[in-house]
Amino acid sequence: MHTAESKEMLPIHGYEMRKICGVLGIIQLISGLHLVVVTHRNFVGLIYEEPIWQMAGTDLIPLTATLTHLSEAQKEQNAIYLSMMRQVLDTPYFYFSYGLDLSNTLQRTSNNAGGGDVRGYFMQSDKRFVWNVGLAKQFPNLPKYILPIIHGFVSIKDVTVNGHSLSWVLISRRSVRHAGTRLFCRGINSDGDVANFVETEQILITEDDCVSFVQTRGSIPLFWNQTPNLQYKPRPQLATRQDHMLACARHFDEQCRTYGAQCLINLIDHKGAEEVLEKAYEATVRALGYPLLTYVSFDFHKECKKMRYDRLSLLMSQIESQQELFGVFHTDPTGQVHSSQKGVFRTNCIDCLDRTNVVQSLIAKRSLEQTLKTLGIFKPGQKHIDPDSQFEAIFKEVWADNADLISVQYSGTGALKTDFTRTGKRTVQGMLRDGLNSLTRYVKNNFQDGFRQDSIKLFLGMYNVREDEGLVCPSPFTSDATVDMRKRMVIFLLISMLLKRKFVIIELLIILRQMSTMVLFEVAVFFVILLYPTQYSIKTGYMLIGWGVVFALTARFFRKHHKDFVDHPKLNSKK
């Protein structure tokens, strides 16, 4: 793999020359226009002899010489917008190619053959998956200079199966439509776009053949939300006064036009908090009555409880006939098409991350094994990849990496259940890792994702900054915003006293302050750490009872005032 390249900076006629890898576009901030460029890249691999690159460094070059025309408040607000841009640009990973359109599947590229746009790959790309489409709006007359980038995951591996040299590629493309973070971006919008929509393409390239197999994932196509409120897992709420049928119909109209038939695999729970979504989704699909839609509901947690992941074979058997019907896209080096993919599996769980990736990897593996058999790469009678082979290990590792990256991009942490994807079985170590990731998700989703959600809106052009913002027109980043941040971030841990041996109390401290016209609550969270005293006394019991009462009051306070502590988005409207 190539390492990140160093770039030279040479002064020429008073100007600073910079060597860059590509231009992403221009963004308008308070201080003026900024040119967004790629400065470093890492080599990923070759597809059809075309290099694929991972974006490894970027820069925002101001096209305004000074900031003297800005007030101090505007300078601070401009710095926030710059940090938002860097927040998105630093999210792993963006990919690009100078000679291959990464936004389109091989089948779409083949269908569009001969209709290429002379203005470059940006114009012929699938804008659903081009993440700098908003930055390109300031470059309307120079599209051929725009380098289209996709966000998601790309892996290119050279492998050997039974003496045959193959190139195995996995590409996941995240959609820019209804894009956002895990709990602030759920369900569908009125245009029929769903949250966390990802197109994943598996490609197998041999000397004589190229085979592509596509799957999609996306949030349940109904109006629903799961707004963070300091609870560990907020209860999903199905929206009322919304036309679910119309939005869902728009979604599947586009999906069927783009991919053909749809097998809708719903992996959410049939009982508990997720039940309302499962019933509403099934009822809506039935009411639509589309002949190209097949609804398959599989209660993943119930069926696979007690780490019985072998029971996923029940689901695989249920969808086997659909997979044979959908087929794959198969072409040879001359461009002759031997078969086309006629439909896709659209898989979802509540987040479209963990359970979804497990099932998608199983579907992809079966497609891959069928292809290896069809191409004559498997030996006579062989049906599966050798479980002890290097290719089997690579396949599992890559699909687990795919899960982790898509999860980081949406939820802020790596995926859950990847121990099964990597090893083929559920492990205690994997469950402990999942617990840590779940806790990290909780913290990020409640206290950081408002900023991340705003950053995505700004980057994608869903919010437009005005030069006079904070001066003529109001800014979303006022002094109140600073106060809100303090309320969310300040947590006091006060060690009160040491009683007897190894007994430590961290008590609650609630501070009430008057700032401007509002009362701020700065809440100190407490814990009792009881380190196995040699003997217990009535005093110990009283202290524990007192701790419990204060803990209950604190929990009630947090539930009542959760809106004061959760990091909510501020860029809620497009100007």
Side-chain angles (χ1 to χ4, degrees):
M1 176 176 287
H2 294 192
T3 57
E5 301 174 350
S6 61
K7 304 298 171 188
E8 299 178 358
M9 302 173 65
L10 303 174
I12 298 180
H13 302 302
Y15 293 95
E16 184 182 40
M17 289 291 291
R18 301 192 184 190
K19 186 178 179 182
I20 63 174
C21 303
V23 175
L24 300 183
I26 290 179
I27 183 74
Q28 170 75 59
L29 302 181
I30 297 176
S31 60
L33 297 174
H34 288 68
L35 184 67
V36 187
V37 299
V38 182
T39 58
H40 295 78
R41 63 189 184 182
N42 290 334
F43 180 70
V44 178
L46 298 173
I47 300 179
Y48 285 137
E49 303 303 319
E50 290 290 346
I52 309 301
W53 303 94
Q54 180 190 102
M55 200 167 75
T58 58
D59 197 6
L60 286 89
I61 303 173
L63 303 183
T64 304
T66 67
L67 303 180
T68 55
H69 62 292
L70 301 181
S71 67
E72 289 301 317
Q74 285 183 307
K75 291 178 182 178
E76 292 179 4
Q77 293 153 9
N78 190 72
I80 295 175
Y81 284 128
L82 284 171
S83 64
M84 285 183 172
M85 290 294 294
R86 295 188 181 101
Q87 163 76 41
V88 177
L89 290 169
D90 292 343
T91 303
Y93 287 116
F94 290 93
Y95 301 88
F96 63 89
S97 173
Y98 302 114
L100 189 69
D101 181 8
L102 289 179
S103 68
N104 274 302
T105 63
L106 295 185
Q107 183 161 319
R108 286 200 300 272
T109 300
S110 175
N111 292 339
N112 297 332
D117 198 304
V118 296
R119 291 173 292 176
Y121 281 115
F122 181 82
M123 295 303 295
Q124 65 191 56
S125 61
D126 189 330
K127 301 302 185 295
R128 292 180 300 159
F129 305 115
V130 177
W131 272 68
N132 55 324
V133 65
L135 301 179
K137 292 178 181 178
Q138 298 284 352
F139 246 55
N141 299 320
L142 301 170
K144 67 180 180 180
Y145 295 106
I146 296 292
L147 178 67
I149 57 173
I150 66 168
H151 198 208
F153 178 77
V154 176
S155 174
I156 303 171
K157 301 293 185 182
D158 294 326
V159 298
T160 302
V161 178
N162 296 333
H164 296 265
S165 296
L166 316 169
S167 180
W168 178 66
V169 182
L170 192 67
I171 303 175
S172 283
R173 309 171 177 96
R174 296 187 68 220
S175 175
V176 301
R177 298 180 181 176
H178 201 32
T181 60
R182 177 174 172 251
L183 294 186
F184 284 118
C185 190
R186 294 296 216 188
I188 201 168
N189 63 18
S190 57
D191 294 325
D193 306 315
V194 296
N196 200 27
F197 184 82
V198 183
E199 174 188 84
T200 299
E201 181 178 20
Q202 177 177 264
I203 303 172
L204 186 69
I205 303 174
T206 72
E207 185 177 343
D208 301 317
D209 300 275
C210 181
V211 178
S212 162
F213 177 69
V214 174
Q215 301 182 71
T216 63
R217 69 176 76 183
S219 192
I220 294 172
L222 304 172
F223 291 100
W224 62 280
N225 59 73
Q226 198 175 10
T227 308
N229 57 6
L230 297 185
Q231 293 182 5
Y232 174 70
K233 186 180 290 187
R235 195 175 187 88
Q237 300 289 331
L238 193 65
T240 58
R241 302 179 181 178
Q242 295 279 6
D243 194 335
H244 298 276
M245 188 75 70
L246 177 60
C248 192
R250 287 174 176 169
H251 175 69
F252 285 121
D253 283 344
E254 181 184 51
Q255 294 302 296
C256 292
R257 283 195 306 270
T258 306
Y259 301 103
Q262 304 274 304
C263 181
L264 315 177
I265 303 177
N266 187 6
L267 302 175
I268 66 174
D269 300 344
H270 292 186
K271 300 293 183 182
E274 298 178 5
E275 180 182 8
V276 62
L277 296 179
E278 194 279 326
K279 289 184 176 179
Y281 188 14
E282 181 178 13
T284 303
V285 172
R286 289 185 183 278
L288 286 175
Y290 285 14
L292 291 178
L293 301 184
T294 302
Y295 181 82
V296 177
S297 187
F298 184 82
D299 192 332
F300 189 103
H301 286 150
K302 177 184 176 182
E303 297 294 341
C304 302
K305 64 182 179 181
K306 298 182 180 180
M307 298 195 288
R308 288 292 309 277
Y309 275 48
D310 58 292
R311 292 180 60 81
L312 286 169
S313 60
L314 299 175
L315 172 61
M316 296 302 292
S317 298
Q318 191 174 354
I319 64 174
E320 183 175 6
S321 60
Q322 289 288 115
Q323 189 156 5
E324 292 178 357
L325 178 65
F326 291 163
V328 295
F329 176 71
H330 180 192
T331 184
D332 61 26
T334 67
Q336 181 179 355
V337 177
H338 297 286
S339 68
S340 295
Q341 187 172 340
K342 302 177 181 64
V344 299
F345 291 99
R346 184 201 187 278
T347 308
N348 75 267
C349 48
I350 197 72
D351 297 322
C352 305
L353 295 176
D354 314 315
R355 290 171 275 183
T356 293
N357 200 79
V358 169
V359 170
Q360 282 197 336
S361 67
L362 294 178
I363 296 174
K365 187 176 182 182
R366 181 158 67 184
S367 175
L368 180 62
E369 290 174 335
Q370 289 173 342
T371 295
L372 292 172
K373 180 180 179 181
T374 300
L375 297 182
I377 295 174
F378 271 171
K379 299 176 181 177
Q382 184 180 358
K383 296 182 179 180
H384 303 288
I385 299 171
D386 182 355
D388 298 322
S389 66
Q390 183 185 26
F391 189 20
E392 173 79 3
I394 290 175
F395 181 91
K396 291 178 178 178
E397 196 70 20
V398 167
W399 268 97
D401 290 343
N402 177 71
D404 279 337
L405 271 184
I406 298 299
S407 181
V408 166
Q409 292 157 3
Y410 185 53
S411 73
T413 73
L416 311 183
K417 303 176 178 67
T418 52
D419 56 326
F420 177 80
T421 310
R422 293 184 193 277
T423 66
K425 59 183 179 181
R426 202 73 166 101
T427 64
V428 174
Q429 292 88 342
M431 294 178 67
L432 293 175
R433 176 181 176 273
D434 288 353
L436 180 60
N437 274 340
S438 295
L439 180 60
T440 305
R441 278 185 187 180
Y442 171 81
V443 173
K444 290 191 173 186
N445 296 165
N446 281 276
F447 305 116
Q448 296 180 3
D449 275 1
F451 184 82
R452 281 210 308 139
Q453 181 74 30
D454 285 339
S455 301
I456 294 171
K457 284 188 175 183
L458 176 67
F459 188 88
L460 294 179
M462 299 162 63
Y463 179 88
N464 296 331
V465 180
R466 289 175 48 175
E467 286 187 80
D468 56 1
E469 189 173 288
L471 192 64
V472 176
C473 65
S475 167
F477 308 111
T478 63
S479 59
D480 289 342
T482 304
V483 168
D484 289 341
M485 183 64 70
R486 184 179 301 173
K487 287 191 299 180
R488 290 190 297 269
M489 300 303 295
V490 175
I491 298 178
F492 290 97
L493 296 178
L494 181 65
I495 301 179
S496 63
M497 57 186 301
L498 184 63
L499 297 177
K500 294 196 175 184
R501 298 185 213 171
K502 303 179 181 179
F503 192 83
V504 180
I505 297 181
I506 302 178
E507 294 181 305
L508 170 70
L509 176 64
I510 302 179
I511 301 176
L512 304 179
R513 289 187 181 178
Q514 183 73 27
M515 299 184 70
S516 300
T517 58
M518 67 180 299
V519 177
L520 294 181
F521 294 96
E522 293 183 351
V523 180
V525 180
F526 73 98
F527 294 95
V528 169
I529 304 175
L530 184 58
L531 302 177
Y532 307 105
T534 55
Q535 60 181 359
Y536 293 92
S537 64
I538 295 178
K539 186 177 180 180
T540 302
Y542 285 149
M543 292 186 67
L544 288 174
I545 292 173
W547 175 88
V549 171
V550 178
F551 181 84
L553 292 174
T554 303
R556 184 171 179 268
F557 175 84
F558 270 98
R559 285 195 298 270
K560 184 177 180 180
H561 299 279
H562 65 85
K563 291 183 179 180
D564 293 332
F565 295 93
V566 172
D567 181 27
H568 291 280
K570 295 178 175 59
L571 310 184
N572 293 321
S573 61
K574 185 170 182 176
K575 298 180 181 178

